[in-house]
Amino acid sequence: MDVGIITNPNSKKNYRRPQRRRALEQAVGRYGAVVETRRLDELPRAIRNLREAGCRYFVCDGGDGTLHWVLNTLHADARQTGATRLPIVVPTNGGTVDFVARKAGLKGDADSIVRRLVGRLERGEPIPTVTIDTCKIVGAPIGQELSDSTQAPAFERVGLAAALGGVAQAFFDRFYALPKERGALAIAGVIGAAAGGALVSTLASNLAPPLQRFIPDEMRSYATDFFRPTRARVEVDGRELPFASFASMQVGAIDINLAGVVRCFRHAREGGVLHFQALDTTPIGVVANVPNIVLGTPILGRKVYDDKARRVRITAEDGEVLNPVIDGEQFHGLGHVELTLGPRVELPTFASN
């Protein structure tokens, strides 16, 4: 058996498709097996069974969140079994952003990707791959220290991109509060609402008190919450940044295209380094940088770090909490976070038959 397909029937693209498993079984035929996982605790056994059956390719039929959990389960299984490399991971399209499939150049839905993969296996053709970096993110909860010992950390994930504080994290809080049928327009809508809120909030602060009552409270509240900075101490490759309030903070192990709307982490395109971004600015300063964020050009400002990094340590200030969003998956309650390069992952990169 060559191909193992993990399908998440609860994902955005699958929850209205009850025949999903059958369609994938028809696509993979005798070359693989399809496993449904409705809960995260079902993944380790599913992964182990497929690996023991000899699967070399793991297809993730869900959004980027499904790929994140499959990748992390494969990583944990490899550590337990002593495997020196991960199987080839096959991302698919149909989720909200699909930035991993875009990176590999894979087009079409999961069924067509599986058929192309199986077609190459049937014909004995080589399957080209691209190897990408990941970011290893270890952390400790509030009240605990991040240990340098060999003991397993309290929190450990591998991912491709993470929002670590400020508006980068607030964006996902707003985005995932929307209905499941969200996409590029929703991304643009959240950015637009935040920009409008920042402009109105700034205008309101310059108005005389009698005139401020004409500014809707909901709009001002949205801007206040969205642009609330994260207070933390940050070290990049052993050097502490000279500012401790972050309007935004994010990291990428690969250059990313979010649904064709946002392009970021240009330094990670080279491989072998992380691209870490952190800035201290006003809400208007963030809005002024939206074109740079969208186009992937350098972030502007006096208090900005926008460059390569190999190790980043973040320590929340008293009363602050770090709630990272890794590959679109939200995590909560950390006081310390360390970022380094993680294991490398192979992705197939065929575009057509």
Side-chain angles (χ1 to χ4, degrees):
M1 186 185 302
D2 293 295
V3 183
I5 303 175
I6 304 290
T7 182
N8 175 10
N10 299 321
S11 71
K12 170 200 161 186
K13 72 176 183 180
N14 289 339
Y15 79 107
R16 288 184 173 176
R17 303 171 71 184
Q19 303 302 318
R20 189 82 196 105
R21 177 172 182 166
R22 180 59 183 152
L24 290 168
E25 287 174 339
Q26 291 175 338
V28 75
R30 62 186 177 87
Y31 283 88
V34 179
V35 179
E36 281 188 346
T37 55
R38 295 180 178 276
R39 303 189 314 273
L40 291 177
D41 60 9
E42 295 175 344
L43 262 177
R45 173 50 56 190
I47 294 290
R48 179 63 59 84
N49 289 344
L50 291 171
R51 292 202 72 171
E52 290 177 351
C55 289
R56 296 179 293 144
Y57 302 91
F58 279 75
V59 180
C60 304
D61 179 52
D64 290 319
T66 300
L67 187 145
H68 172 84
W69 288 105
V70 169
L71 176 60
N72 275 272
T73 306
L74 285 169
H75 177 54
D77 186 73
R79 284 185 300 171
Q80 291 175 5
T81 60
T84 57
R85 60 186 296 181
L86 299 180
I88 296 174
V89 176
V90 186
T92 59
N93 295 293
T96 302
V97 291
D98 301 320
F99 65 80
V100 187
R102 287 173 183 266
K103 176 68 176 177
L106 293 175
K107 299 179 180 179
D109 59 14
D111 304 42
S112 66
I113 290 172
V114 170
R115 288 192 182 95
R116 295 201 299 272
L117 176 62
V118 168
R120 286 175 176 263
L121 292 172
E122 286 178 330
R123 296 188 295 270
E125 296 177 0
I127 296 174
T129 62
V130 58
T131 302
I132 63 171
D133 288 319
T134 65
C135 177
K136 184 168 77 168
I137 304 167
V138 299
I142 293 290
Q144 295 184 23
E145 293 297 320
L146 192 60
S147 173
D148 288 321
S149 71
T150 57
Q151 288 184 326
F155 176 90
E156 179 176 348
R157 311 298 301 170
V158 294
L160 300 172
L164 302 161
V167 297
Q169 177 199 313
F171 166 82
F172 283 98
D173 290 341
R174 301 300 187 279
F175 185 68
Y176 284 117
L178 298 174
K180 277 193 173 183
E181 292 79 5
R182 51 185 179 248
L185 288 177
I187 293 174
V190 172
I191 294 173
L199 293 171
V200 170
S201 180
T202 301
L203 173 64
S205 65
N206 292 314
L207 291 175
L211 297 177
Q212 291 184 10
R213 62 189 179 89
F214 292 103
I215 305 297
D217 290 339
E218 288 185 6
M219 185 170 288
R220 281 189 286 182
S221 175
Y222 187 99
T224 299
D225 293 342
F226 191 91
F227 290 100
R228 188 181 74 83
T230 297
R231 295 176 297 108
R233 297 192 309 277
V234 177
E235 290 183 10
V236 181
D237 295 331
R239 300 182 63 179
E240 186 169 342
L241 296 185
F243 46 99
S245 178
F246 297 91
S248 191
M249 190 162 40
Q250 53 269 351
V251 68
I254 62 172
D255 56 308
I256 282 175
N257 181 338
L258 292 179
V261 179
V262 177
R263 296 169 176 82
C264 45
F265 307 130
R266 65 196 180 280
H267 288 307
R269 186 179 299 118
E270 306 170 17
V273 293
L274 302 174
H275 186 166
F276 180 67
Q277 297 175 318
L279 70 153
D280 177 9
T281 188
T282 64
I284 290 299
V286 174
V287 172
N289 270 299
V290 166
N292 299 317
I293 294 171
V294 169
L295 297 174
T297 51
I299 295 174
L300 304 178
R302 289 181 299 145
K303 297 179 179 179
V304 172
Y305 186 93
D306 181 12
D307 210 337
K308 302 172 186 176
R310 295 187 180 278
R311 182 183 298 270
V312 179
R313 280 201 168 210
I314 304 169
T315 302
E317 296 283 14
D318 290 343
E320 190 68 81
V321 181
L322 302 174
N323 301 314
V325 182
I326 307 170
D327 298 342
E329 294 295 293
Q330 297 172 299
F331 301 91
H332 301 277
L334 300 180
H336 304 268
V337 167
E338 182 177 83
L339 316 170
T340 55
L341 281 169
R344 307 198 80 197
V345 179
E346 277 188 279
L347 311 175
T349 188
F350 54 82
S352 60
N353 284 322

